[in-house]
Amino acid sequence: MKEDELFDQQLREAFKGAEDVSFSSDFSDKVFLKIEQRKNQEFRKLSWIYAAVIGFFLITAGICLVLMADSGSYSEIVNHSSYVVLVAVLLITFQILDRKMIRKTANPL
Amino acid sequence: MEDQELVSQILGGSQWAFRQLIDQYKRLVMHMITRVIDDDRDREELCQDVFVRVYEKLDGFHFESKLSTWIATIAYRLAINHLRKTKKRQEEQDIDQVAFQLGEHDRSVEQADYARFIQSLINQMPAPYRLVLTLFYLEGFSYPEIMEITDMPEGTVKNYLFRARHKLKELSIPYIGHEIEK
């Protein structure tokens, strides 16, 4: 038992004695630079997604308006049961995207 | 500064606090990376990526474990993913299949020489053995913490540690045997 403890002690000392790790002097700065780059990258990606979603909804809304103008039934949209669901989905999607973008960009680090 | 205070300052936007965290844990991260990645060209880059990931995930960390355990887990996973991406992951080798090169060492080795000798042996070991030894002896992690970091079952961790330790002892006896036998 004592022998094992002694060997463990020697191993610990050996580990501490030989672990010579070196880093470049600007290691932390490089980490900050990478964080900044990642944030910009993420922001650009989300901006594209945001733009695409808004574009999709605008086009869809345009098509709906044209179709309904043809049939002359604007008033029916209000009574349509899926209308509420559609608005809810739209709002939730905007909220999620908005929160994601704000959360990623608000931290001043 | 306490880890919790450090984390709350980082989440509050303190750049200084994050620099403190990097300084405090960069050695641990480098030890983890070094034990998994053989190619030293990618190591520092990968260490930086670990801290970027730590920064990104920090708001999801609620001290379910020690901060060091959590950071070591991230470092280990990134290192493993890096190996997968670069396709440098080798077949796991058994420690008994390794032909250890002992080199020229004086039998009356000084402590510094002994440390280098032990390091040279550890560097020749298969990665999982190196890693478990480092986590246990250098970083002072417990079995449950090593299990959490590496996602290995308890039996596997104990087995790696036991066999690596046994092998080191066996190979060291010609050099330090007189001290062990005391």
Side-chain angles (χ1 to χ4, degrees):
Chain A
M1 192 65 190
K2 210 166 182 181
E3 186 186 299
D4 284 345
E5 283 169 15
L6 179 64
F7 185 66
D8 277 347
Q9 184 60 30
Q10 283 173 326
L11 269 186
R12 280 197 180 88
E13 282 164 17
F15 264 105
K16 285 191 178 113
E19 275 305 329
D20 204 14
V21 186
S22 62
F23 295 89
S24 57
S25 56
D26 57 350
F27 181 83
S28 303
D29 294 331
K30 283 180 182 167
V31 174
F32 279 101
L33 188 68
K34 277 194 171 192
I35 289 171
E36 199 56 45
Q37 285 170 345
R38 287 279 287 262
K39 271 199 293 196
N40 290 340
Q41 220 173 19
E42 189 76 7
F43 182 75
R44 270 201 301 274
K45 197 173 88 184
L46 280 169
S47 300
W48 278 110
I49 294 172
Y50 205 59
V53 171
I54 290 171
F56 171 77
F57 283 129
L58 286 176
I59 291 167
T60 311
I63 292 169
C64 287
L65 286 173
V66 170
L67 290 176
M68 280 185 284
D70 284 349
S71 65
S73 58
Y74 277 117
S75 57
E76 276 184 25
I77 194 169
V78 183
N79 300 324
H80 204 279
S81 61
S82 60
Y83 175 70
V84 179
V85 179
L86 183 68
V87 171
V89 170
L90 266 170
L91 282 173
I92 291 167
T93 311
F94 280 128
Q95 280 291 319
I96 290 169
L97 286 170
D98 198 37
R99 273 191 65 180
K100 215 172 176 188
M101 289 180 79
I102 288 168
R103 193 177 69 84
K104 291 281 178 190
T105 53
N107 198 320
L109 252 181
Chain B
M1 191 191 293
E2 289 289 313
D3 283 344
Q4 282 187 329
E5 175 66 18
L6 194 65
V7 169
S8 84
Q9 285 197 21
I10 295 167
L11 292 175
S14 166
Q15 208 177 94
W16 176 85
F18 193 57
R19 276 185 198 275
Q20 285 286 110
L21 182 137
I22 293 173
D23 286 342
Q24 211 166 311
Y25 292 107
K26 65 184 180 186
R27 283 182 180 279
L28 163 67
V29 171
M30 186 56 104
H31 289 154
M32 297 291 301
I33 302 288
T34 307
R35 294 304 177 214
V36 180
I37 310 278
D38 288 326
D39 191 348
D40 62 356
R41 286 171 300 179
D42 305 333
R43 285 177 186 163
E44 190 165 316
E45 183 87 13
L46 211 52
C47 277
Q48 290 160 8
D49 290 343
V50 170
F51 285 107
V52 172
R53 187 65 62 90
V54 166
Y55 169 72
E56 287 174 346
K57 303 276 177 195
L58 200 59
D59 57 354
F61 174 64
H62 303 296
F63 287 92
E64 298 89 353
S65 58
K66 286 198 295 187
L67 184 60
S68 57
T69 310
W70 182 69
I71 292 175
T73 308
I74 292 178
Y76 177 71
R77 288 183 187 161
L78 270 187
I80 294 292
N81 284 343
H82 177 81
L83 281 187
R84 283 196 191 120
K85 273 186 204 159
T86 54
K87 297 191 172 86
K88 285 178 186 166
R89 196 165 195 193
Q90 293 168 342
E91 285 292 307
E92 270 186 23
Q93 198 181 8
D94 192 88
I95 197 165
D96 291 328
Q97 293 171 335
V98 179
F100 285 92
Q101 307 290 315
L102 298 181
E104 294 296 319
H105 286 273
D106 190 336
R107 277 172 182 264
S108 58
V109 284
E110 298 287 327
Q111 185 60 42
D113 288 334
Y114 178 62
R116 274 196 291 275
F117 171 64
I118 287 289
Q119 277 304 317
S120 78
L121 294 180
I122 292 167
N123 290 339
Q124 295 173 61
M125 285 184 178
Y129 294 87
R130 285 195 309 235
L131 182 71
V132 171
L133 273 175
T134 305
L135 289 172
F136 189 79
Y137 285 106
L138 183 63
E139 305 298 343
F141 284 114
S142 62
Y143 287 130
E145 286 168 338
I146 298 174
M147 285 156 58
E148 187 182 334
I149 292 166
T150 59
D151 212 18
M152 290 175 192
E154 186 178 4
T156 309
V157 171
K158 285 184 175 172
N159 182 39
Y160 280 143
L161 197 60
F162 174 79
R163 294 181 68 199
R165 193 178 168 285
H166 184 262
K167 182 57 83 176
L168 283 177
K169 195 171 174 182
E170 180 188 304
L171 295 169
S172 312
I173 279 176
Y175 303 98
I176 57 161
H178 55 286
E179 288 178 43
I180 286 178
E181 284 157 14
K182 268 180 196 172

